[in-house]
Amino acid sequence: MKLWAGRFHKELDKTTDDFNSSISFDSRMVKEDIQGSIAHATMLGESGVLAQEEAAKICQGLKDILADLESGKLSIDETAEDVHTFVEGELTARLGDTGKRLHTARSRNDQVAVDLRLYLKKECAELLKLLNGLTETMCRKALEYKGAVMPGYTHMQRAQPVTFGHHLMAYAEMFLRDAGRLQDAVKRMDYCPLGSCALAGTTYPLKRERTAELLGFAGPTQNSLDAVSDRDFCLELSSAIAICMVHLSRLSEEIILWCSWEFKFIELDDAYSTGSSIMPQKKNPDIAELVRGKTGRAVGDMVTLYTMMKGLPLAYDKDMQEDKEAIFDAVDTLSMCLKTVTPMIATMKVLTKNMRAAAAKGFINATDCADYLVGKGVPFRTAYKITGEIVAYCIEHNLTLETLPIETYKKFSENFDEGIYDAISLERCVNGRKVLGGPAPENVEAQAKRVLALLGVKE
Ligand code: ARG
């Protein structure tokens, strides 16, 4: 029987019943639903809305239900309309009229809002742990490869030399910002809507601060209409997740490129690669490709939530039941991706020789050649033009800046001497870039140590 059966003359049509039901996806919040109910009943007892003994019985009944669910003695009734109906129905089956008192001064509208906030707060803590684990892995690899010269790219063209450590620390910075966004989302999620009831609060003398405190929230929400119709916390979290997935996708894309024979900068461990059913030579970066592909889902979940909320009049509307599958999928997707990407990075083999060789081709040190002339008093624009002419000459004669004879250099500018070869050595180009944020190995080391300290982990 439905909670609202009194007003109706007929049962709900079967297909419509399935359509309306949310138990198949909201049952994952059963623990939070019970926690919320225990806090509500405790507060009702303390405020004198319920007799203390009845409140205590309700709390015990709810604890027993949770224990029975955890031990497998009780399972979720898939025919219940939603998780709230299931828990209340089970409590009433066990306690009779006492169970029926739990829903005093409450509505499923504030109940679902509190369940979702509790559940997502818990999930955010888990995501944060996983994300920080990845950032830590990036820092450790960066320390290991702080001096490994590799080509830095713009427009996918070799641009200037960097180090692999520097490149990895770029991702560590992105993941730090992602962690900040997750923490920020939690900050605003951290208010308890219970006591807002359906939309207009209640005439019962509730101690809303107490319910909030019992559930570990920073405090109660301030407006009952807002409290039951607000899903900003889902929008914020899904946005933070989508951004983080975009970062993982960019990293995945680079991993896929680096694994190719054209690059061969890294080799993934066998545990994180797959083969082909027909081509025996293949070792494919499927995991990275899947992460890149799943970014579409996470962005889709975010769009689902924004589109669902857009245009909803206050207060609660059933459209909002659609929030759960989208936000759960976003959370699950990021969690799975972090769990596979972190060990994949930790175990990858870095082929530093290939990186160094790739950096030695393609005139990646041309800027340093121009800077050398600037050091001799030539204005940068002139130095840039001279270097451009030298590069064109080298390409024409199949030479590099390293192999161009000094006599030829001198034809382009009187200012060249033997010192040019040292100035354009890749190690010097990298080591000299000591500016804050630059790729010099000492910078990379300091940066990685700074981030490790921020994460509160030992080097
Ligand atoms: N299953 C519903 C949801 O997820 C719970 C709230 C139902 N409230 C209502 N007035 N029908 O949003």
Side-chain angles (χ1 to χ4, degrees):
M1 221 198 349
K2 291 287 183 252
L3 287 172
W4 27 266
R7 159 82 174 75
F8 287 76
H9 303 298
K10 263 196 204 170
E11 292 260 299
L12 191 63
D13 167 73
K14 170 76 182 92
T15 309
T16 310
D17 195 19
D18 292 343
F19 182 66
N20 188 49
S21 165
S22 56
I23 189 92
S24 61
F25 49 86
D26 66 16
S27 59
R28 71 156 88 185
M29 305 189 301
V30 70
K31 201 167 167 190
E32 288 71 25
D33 194 75
I34 292 175
Q35 268 175 7
S37 290
I38 291 175
H40 180 64
T42 305
M43 180 278 294
L44 289 181
E46 288 175 8
S47 335
V49 176
L50 285 187
Q52 287 279 12
E53 320 77 73
E54 289 215 280
K57 265 194 212 156
I58 290 174
C59 289
Q60 192 51 54
L62 289 164
K63 282 178 196 155
D64 293 345
I65 291 174
L66 184 59
D68 289 352
L69 282 168
E70 280 170 350
S71 71
K73 224 163 115 189
L74 175 68
S75 47
I76 304 280
D77 174 8
E78 295 295 335
T79 67
E81 184 183 337
D82 53 30
V83 66
H84 328 293
T85 316
F86 165 68
V87 173
E88 195 186 327
E90 184 61 30
L91 186 74
T92 303
R94 295 180 181 210
L95 304 184
D97 277 354
T98 302
K100 290 185 191 165
R101 294 192 199 278
L102 170 63
H103 212 55
T104 312
R106 191 175 72 165
S107 153
R108 282 184 296 164
N109 297 352
D110 57 351
Q111 204 181 341
V112 72
V114 81
D115 290 6
L116 196 52
R117 283 168 188 250
L118 284 172
Y119 179 82
L120 292 177
K121 267 176 67 179
K122 183 184 77 184
E123 290 291 309
C124 281
E126 187 57 31
L127 285 179
L128 204 56
K129 237 190 267 166
L130 292 170
L131 185 56
N132 288 345
L134 175 58
T135 313
E136 182 185 342
T137 300
M138 292 314 233
C139 292
R140 296 204 186 285
K141 284 272 159 199
L143 285 173
E144 206 176 323
Y145 296 103
K146 63 181 181 192
V149 174
M150 75 177 270
Y153 298 82
T154 61
H155 313 271
M156 264 323 275
Q157 300 288 316
R158 288 174 189 154
Q160 289 177 337
V162 294
T163 63
F164 192 53
H166 190 56
H167 200 108
L168 294 179
M169 283 312 293
Y171 283 99
E173 289 292 324
M174 297 179 217
F175 297 141
L176 268 188
R177 291 196 294 274
D178 289 329
R181 269 183 284 270
L182 281 182
Q183 286 165 321
D184 219 37
V186 170
K187 257 187 235 160
R188 277 179 291 275
M189 196 185 287
D190 201 15
Y191 292 90
C192 183
L194 275 185
S196 304
C197 304
L199 74 162
T202 178
T203 54
Y204 293 102
L206 302 190
K207 291 181 177 153
R208 293 197 52 219
E209 287 81 2
R210 178 69 178 135
T211 322
E213 184 196 347
L214 284 167
L215 289 171
F217 282 105
T221 54
Q222 294 297 321
N223 179 294
S224 63
L225 291 171
D226 176 49
V228 294
S229 64
D230 167 36
R231 292 294 182 273
D232 286 2
F233 58 97
C234 293
L235 302 188
E236 281 196 62
L237 179 56
S238 68
S239 307
I241 290 175
I243 296 173
C244 184
M245 284 297 299
V246 167
H247 294 155
L248 289 177
S249 182
R250 295 181 74 182
L251 174 62
S252 298
E253 169 69 12
E254 300 213 276
I255 287 172
I256 294 159
L257 286 174
W258 293 340
C259 285
S260 69
W261 282 104
E262 284 70 13
F263 278 78
K264 267 290 163 248
F265 285 1
I266 61 165
E267 194 180 334
L268 293 179
D269 192 81
D270 285 359
Y272 302 96
S273 320
T274 56
S276 156
S277 60
I278 172 169
M279 297 165 281
Q281 84 284 12
K282 291 289 285 289
K283 185 167 171 185
N284 298 329
D286 287 39
I287 306 310
E289 290 169 280
L290 262 178
V291 170
R292 189 177 58 183
K294 282 181 188 289
T295 304
R297 288 174 78 114
V299 174
D301 291 328
M302 177 186 74
V303 174
T304 297
L305 287 161
Y306 278 78
T307 315
M308 181 270 286
M309 285 306 286
K310 176 193 159 300
L312 285 192
L314 302 187
Y316 176 85
D317 300 280
K318 190 67 171 242
D319 314 47
M320 285 155 73
Q321 178 164 288
E322 289 289 313
D323 57 3
K324 282 169 279 300
E325 283 164 296
I327 194 67
F328 293 163
D329 186 68
V331 167
D332 292 349
T333 302
L334 178 58
S335 167
M336 257 187 322
C337 290
L338 290 170
K339 282 180 194 162
T340 42
V341 168
T342 305
M344 181 172 77
I345 297 286
T347 56
M348 72 185 173
K349 197 152 111 201
V350 183
L351 307 172
T352 52
K353 270 200 195 123
N354 294 350
M355 286 182 179
R356 173 89 182 52
K361 296 174 202 153
F363 304 97
I364 206 161
N365 40 8
T367 316
D368 299 271
C369 177
D371 285 342
Y372 168 86
L373 288 175
V374 170
K376 299 278 179 188
V378 181
F380 181 77
R381 269 294 150 236
T382 312
Y384 174 97
K385 186 163 174 285
I386 295 170
T387 309
E389 287 162 2
I390 295 173
V391 168
Y393 179 90
C394 286
I395 292 171
E396 210 178 306
H397 295 85
N398 209 11
L399 290 162
T400 65
L401 292 180
E402 288 88 344
T403 54
L404 186 71
I406 188 65
E407 305 78 59
T408 321
Y409 266 114
K410 281 186 186 291
K411 280 190 196 143
F412 287 94
S413 168
E414 288 289 280
N415 291 293
F416 282 113
D417 59 36
E418 289 287 337
I420 180 65
Y421 298 107
D422 183 41
I424 58 169
S425 95
L426 289 180
E427 280 66 22
R428 233 197 94 132
C429 297
V430 167
N431 295 346
R433 287 181 155 74
K434 293 191 213 301
V435 68
L436 177 73
E442 63 200 77
N443 280 20
V444 174
E445 182 176 336
Q447 202 193 344
K449 287 184 174 173
R450 177 185 152 266
V451 175
L452 286 173
L454 279 176
L455 295 176
V457 290
K458 290 218 171 68
E459 283 160 38

